[in-house]
């Protein structure tokens, strides 16, 4: 594997980790809980393909526009100017949904806060998280985040290996393939998940400023955006699959 392929793999890892956080983690558990592994695949496959499609098409754009390694950056400056408000609103919506998911799936189940001060505690935690994100973002920037994600990816790989080879919890017979309620597919719950599934496939990466920043930086480093996002889609899919299967095993042991 040459240096460009290694760089593409590192960027793919960064893409996957960035797309995994927040909705990826929570939706993979929710879809598995409600619809079994079928639901997990229905969520994971479109999102992984959406990442790969973004990388494929942005590579086409970068190759067809003059400007060398700055061709994609120049295209984005012209393309994004009329839609800048939409881009920022999308970031706000994504952040809001992540905060909602943290509250619903972390704070309440673990009973981390209770009483009349709950709202204040949650607001303070959200503020600290946002402030830390802004500070780290300013300090490291998109050029260095690849290395930070590489270390996190290595740590994640060690955790996954520890679960698979030490605990060995993911026995196939303990995983629920279909939804526990056959009527779940036709009910309003499945219809409610149609929007995030379509967003992940069609517009998710396109409206995310971080993905554009990554694609632009990848192109500046003379690395294939297409290859980087293929790696990213595959890693993202495997992480979702592992996370969902782990949730399915917990449910099969009565952990719900």
């Amino acid at each position: 594997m040459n240096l460009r392929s290694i760089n593409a793999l590192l960027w793919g890892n960064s893409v996957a980790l960035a797309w995994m956080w927040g909705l990826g983690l929570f939706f993979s558990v929710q879809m598995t809980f409600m619809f079994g592994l079928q639901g997990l695949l229905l969520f994971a496959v479109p999102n992984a393909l959406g990442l790969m499609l973004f990388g494929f098409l942005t590579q086409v754009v970068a190759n067809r526009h003059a400007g060398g390694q700055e061709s994609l950056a120049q295209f984005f400056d012209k393309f994004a100017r009329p839609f800048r408000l939409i881009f920022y609103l999308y970031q706000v919506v994504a952040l809001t949904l992540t905060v909602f998911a943290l509250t619903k799936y972390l704070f309440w189940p673990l009973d981390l806060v209770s009483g009349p001060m709950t709202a204040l505690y949650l607001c303070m935690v959200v503020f600290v998280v946002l402030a830390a994100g802004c500070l780290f973002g300013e300090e490291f920037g998109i050029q260095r985040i690849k290395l930070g994600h590489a270390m996190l990816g290595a740590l994640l790989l060690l955790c996954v290996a520890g679960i698979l080879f030490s605990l060995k919890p993911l026995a196939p017979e303990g995983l629920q393939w279909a939804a526990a309620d056959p009527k779940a597919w036709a009910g309003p719950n499945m219809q409610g998940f149609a929007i995030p599934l379509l967003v992940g496939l069609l517009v998710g990466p396109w409206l995310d400023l971080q993905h554009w920043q990554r694609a632009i930086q990848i192109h500046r480093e003379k690395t294939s955006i297409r290859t980087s996002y293929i790696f990213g889609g595959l890693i993202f899919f495997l992480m979702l699959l592992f996370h969902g299967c782990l949730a399915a095993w917990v449910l099969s042991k009565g952990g719900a």
Side-chain angles (χ1 to χ4, degrees):
M1 182 177 288
N2 57 38
L3 291 179
R4 289 190 180 182
S5 297
I6 295 175
N7 197 40
L9 179 60
L10 292 176
W11 274 117
N13 173 72
S14 180
V15 166
L17 290 180
W19 209 228
M20 184 70 181
W21 169 241
L23 297 181
L25 283 172
F26 301 121
F27 267 123
S28 61
V29 174
Q30 188 71 20
M31 294 293 288
T32 304
F33 174 73
M34 297 178 67
F35 308 107
L37 295 183
Q38 288 179 338
L40 174 65
L41 291 176
L42 185 65
F43 171 72
V45 171
N47 276 272
L49 290 177
L51 284 176
M52 295 180 186
L53 184 63
F54 176 82
F56 178 82
L57 293 179
T58 49
Q59 183 70 68
V60 173
V61 171
N63 291 340
R64 290 187 178 181
H65 284 75
Q69 303 311 122
E70 295 297 320
S71 59
L72 188 59
Q74 295 170 4
F75 168 82
F76 179 71
D77 286 339
K78 296 178 182 178
F79 164 74
R81 193 174 296 116
F83 307 104
R84 191 166 297 274
L85 179 61
I86 297 176
F87 276 99
Y88 285 119
L89 287 177
Y90 180 83
Q91 312 310 309
V92 172
V93 170
L95 181 61
T96 302
L97 291 174
T98 300
V99 172
F100 166 77
L102 279 172
T103 303
K104 181 175 177 60
Y105 298 111
L106 180 63
F107 286 102
W108 296 127
L110 297 180
D111 196 23
L112 295 179
V113 291
S114 59
M117 301 297 288
T118 296
L120 177 60
Y121 290 150
L122 290 178
C123 290
M124 292 177 64
V125 170
V126 170
F127 175 77
V128 171
V129 171
L130 291 178
C134 292
L135 289 173
F136 281 110
E138 289 295 326
E139 177 65 24
F140 292 101
I142 196 66
Q143 298 92 336
R144 299 180 183 177
I145 201 171
K146 172 183 63 177
L147 299 178
H149 277 163
M151 290 186 288
L152 289 177
L155 178 61
L156 177 63
L157 189 60
L158 290 175
C159 292
V160 172
I163 293 174
L164 290 178
F165 296 108
S166 297
L167 301 179
K168 298 181 180 180
L170 301 181
E173 61 272 12
L175 304 181
Q176 178 182 320
W177 170 252
D181 181 8
K183 297 181 180 179
W185 289 103
N189 288 330
M190 189 60 224
Q191 297 171 12
F193 280 106
I195 293 178
L197 291 174
L198 291 176
V199 167
L201 174 61
L202 299 176
V203 301
W206 297 94
L207 294 181
D208 194 317
L209 289 173
Q210 295 187 42
H211 280 298
W212 280 102
Q213 292 170 349
R214 280 178 172 80
I216 290 170
Q217 183 61 30
I218 291 170
H219 191 56
R220 283 172 176 166
E221 295 179 5
K222 299 181 179 180
T223 301
S224 170
I225 307 172
R226 182 186 299 112
T227 304
S228 299
Y229 271 82
I230 288 175
F231 279 136
L234 290 174
I235 295 171
F236 175 73
F237 176 78
L238 292 175
M239 286 195 298
L240 280 182
L241 191 63
F242 174 79
H243 194 246
C245 288
L246 189 60
W249 178 81
V250 172
L251 292 173
S252 71
K253 298 298 181 182

